[in-house]
Amino acid sequence: YHMILEYLDLFLFIDNLEHVIMNLTENMAFSQIFVRMLMLRLHNAPLGEIIVEAMKDFDSKDYTKQERKTFVAYHAKSKIFMKLLMSNTALTATSYYAKPLLGQMGEIIAYSNGANASFILMLPYRFYTFYELNAKSYFWTYVSQLPFVFVSGFGQSAADCLMVTLVYHVSGQMAILAMRIAQLDTETSDCSKQLRRLVRSHIRLLAMGQVIQDAFSATLLGHLIGATSLVCILGYQILVCLAIGER
């Protein structure tokens, strides 16, 4: 619903270049989030199967001491990534939502105290509104857009965290598999049995990797297109500011 309102705002003000640029700056980022959420929904079943399959690898009895260290090291990297991503996403989403208020905090406080002060009724997102904003409607409209902070934050971080976690898990299992192949004793009688077990493990990991690739390839493509477009738009804005003498 909110995305429709933002695209509607873009369509209605298509003749205003400055408005279009500002809308696209926000719109491209939200479109990437929408693609992430859509891909998670479309690939919900296969990703669920991959998660169930990955949970089978969390039995310490199946690993030697060195293999456990390798396993933990890979998951520690994914954990660090998730912490950094969640912190950055939370900070970005909340600061973006509060930006219109923080920039006019002095005027808002003065107005609430009854002083003769004016402030711009600026909403955090460029969602089209079908009514004229006043002090009362502005407050409720601003509050009504609060849930989108969580939608955008979790929509972006959920897909990225899941992808990175699964990729690191498969990479860790591949590293362990390589260690087992290197330690394979070809002189023993059960060498062929061990080799078949290793081949089955390799096939299993390749299948998991293929599912991850199919699920997140469109997400990464959308991220590439969106990020490239944002860089172009921001570059255009910088050139315009330099051309008119703003610093």
Short mmCIF file of all heavy atoms in Angstrom, two decimals, residues 35-47 215 218:
data_model
loop_
_atom_site.label_atom_id
_atom_site.label_comp_id
_atom_site.label_asym_id
_atom_site.label_seq_id
_atom_site.Cartn_x
_atom_site.Cartn_y
_atom_site.Cartn_z
N VAL A 35 11.72 -6.01 -3.38
CA VAL A 35 12.21 -7.18 -4.12
C VAL A 35 12.72 -8.24 -3.15
O VAL A 35 12.46 -9.44 -3.33
CB VAL A 35 13.31 -6.77 -5.12
CG1 VAL A 35 13.97 -8.00 -5.73
CG2 VAL A 35 12.72 -5.90 -6.22
N ARG A 36 13.43 -7.82 -2.12
CA ARG A 36 13.93 -8.76 -1.12
C ARG A 36 12.77 -9.52 -0.46
O ARG A 36 12.80 -10.75 -0.33
CB ARG A 36 14.73 -8.02 -0.05
CG ARG A 36 16.11 -7.56 -0.48
CD ARG A 36 16.79 -6.87 0.70
NE ARG A 36 18.18 -6.59 0.46
CZ ARG A 36 18.64 -5.45 -0.04
NH1 ARG A 36 17.79 -4.49 -0.38
NH2 ARG A 36 19.93 -5.26 -0.21
N MET A 37 11.76 -8.77 -0.04
CA MET A 37 10.63 -9.40 0.64
C MET A 37 9.86 -10.31 -0.31
O MET A 37 9.39 -11.39 0.08
CB MET A 37 9.71 -8.31 1.21
CG MET A 37 10.37 -7.45 2.27
SD MET A 37 9.35 -6.06 2.80
CE MET A 37 8.00 -6.92 3.58
N LEU A 38 9.73 -9.89 -1.56
CA LEU A 38 9.02 -10.71 -2.55
C LEU A 38 9.75 -12.02 -2.81
O LEU A 38 9.14 -13.09 -2.89
CB LEU A 38 8.85 -9.92 -3.85
CG LEU A 38 8.12 -10.64 -4.99
CD1 LEU A 38 6.70 -10.98 -4.58
CD2 LEU A 38 8.13 -9.79 -6.25
N MET A 39 11.07 -11.96 -2.93
CA MET A 39 11.85 -13.17 -3.18
C MET A 39 11.80 -14.13 -1.99
O MET A 39 11.74 -15.35 -2.16
CB MET A 39 13.30 -12.80 -3.49
CG MET A 39 13.51 -12.13 -4.84
SD MET A 39 12.98 -13.16 -6.24
CE MET A 39 11.40 -12.40 -6.65
N LEU A 40 11.79 -13.57 -0.78
CA LEU A 40 11.65 -14.43 0.40
C LEU A 40 10.30 -15.14 0.39
O LEU A 40 10.20 -16.31 0.78
CB LEU A 40 11.81 -13.61 1.67
CG LEU A 40 13.23 -13.14 2.03
CD1 LEU A 40 13.20 -12.31 3.31
CD2 LEU A 40 14.17 -14.33 2.19
N ARG A 41 9.28 -14.42 -0.05
CA ARG A 41 7.95 -15.03 -0.09
C ARG A 41 7.86 -16.11 -1.17
O ARG A 41 7.30 -17.18 -0.94
CB ARG A 41 6.90 -13.94 -0.35
CG ARG A 41 5.47 -14.48 -0.43
CD ARG A 41 5.04 -15.06 0.91
NE ARG A 41 3.73 -15.68 0.84
CZ ARG A 41 3.52 -16.95 0.51
NH1 ARG A 41 4.54 -17.74 0.20
NH2 ARG A 41 2.30 -17.44 0.49
N LEU A 42 8.42 -15.83 -2.34
CA LEU A 42 8.34 -16.79 -3.43
C LEU A 42 9.16 -18.05 -3.16
O LEU A 42 8.78 -19.15 -3.56
CB LEU A 42 8.82 -16.13 -4.74
CG LEU A 42 7.95 -15.00 -5.29
CD1 LEU A 42 8.57 -14.39 -6.54
CD2 LEU A 42 6.54 -15.50 -5.60
N HIS A 43 10.28 -17.89 -2.47
CA HIS A 43 11.17 -19.02 -2.20
C HIS A 43 11.07 -19.47 -0.75
O HIS A 43 12.04 -20.00 -0.19
CB HIS A 43 12.62 -18.64 -2.53
CG HIS A 43 12.85 -18.32 -3.98
ND1 HIS A 43 13.08 -19.30 -4.93
CD2 HIS A 43 12.87 -17.14 -4.64
CE1 HIS A 43 13.24 -18.73 -6.11
NE2 HIS A 43 13.12 -17.43 -5.97
N ASN A 44 9.92 -19.25 -0.16
CA ASN A 44 9.75 -19.58 1.26
C ASN A 44 9.93 -21.08 1.51
O ASN A 44 10.63 -21.48 2.45
CB ASN A 44 8.36 -19.13 1.72
CG ASN A 44 8.12 -19.43 3.18
OD1 ASN A 44 8.88 -19.02 4.05
ND2 ASN A 44 7.04 -20.16 3.46
N ALA A 45 9.32 -21.91 0.68
CA ALA A 45 9.38 -23.36 0.89
C ALA A 45 10.80 -23.92 0.71
O ALA A 45 11.31 -24.62 1.60
CB ALA A 45 8.40 -24.07 -0.05
N PRO A 46 11.48 -23.64 -0.42
CA PRO A 46 12.85 -24.19 -0.55
C PRO A 46 13.82 -23.65 0.48
O PRO A 46 14.70 -24.38 0.96
CB PRO A 46 13.26 -23.78 -1.97
CG PRO A 46 12.33 -22.69 -2.37
CD PRO A 46 11.06 -22.95 -1.65
N LEU A 47 13.67 -22.38 0.86
CA LEU A 47 14.55 -21.84 1.89
C LEU A 47 14.29 -22.50 3.24
O LEU A 47 15.21 -22.73 4.03
CB LEU A 47 14.37 -20.32 2.00
CG LEU A 47 14.98 -19.49 0.87
CD1 LEU A 47 14.63 -18.02 1.04
CD2 LEU A 47 16.49 -19.67 0.82
N ALA A 215 17.38 -18.57 -5.03
CA ALA A 215 16.52 -17.74 -4.18
C ALA A 215 16.98 -16.29 -4.13
O ALA A 215 16.16 -15.37 -4.06
CB ALA A 215 16.48 -18.32 -2.76
N ALA A 218 17.83 -12.98 -7.92
CA ALA A 218 17.00 -11.82 -8.27
C ALA A 218 17.18 -10.69 -7.26
O ALA A 218 17.18 -9.51 -7.62
CB ALA A 218 15.53 -12.23 -8.35
#
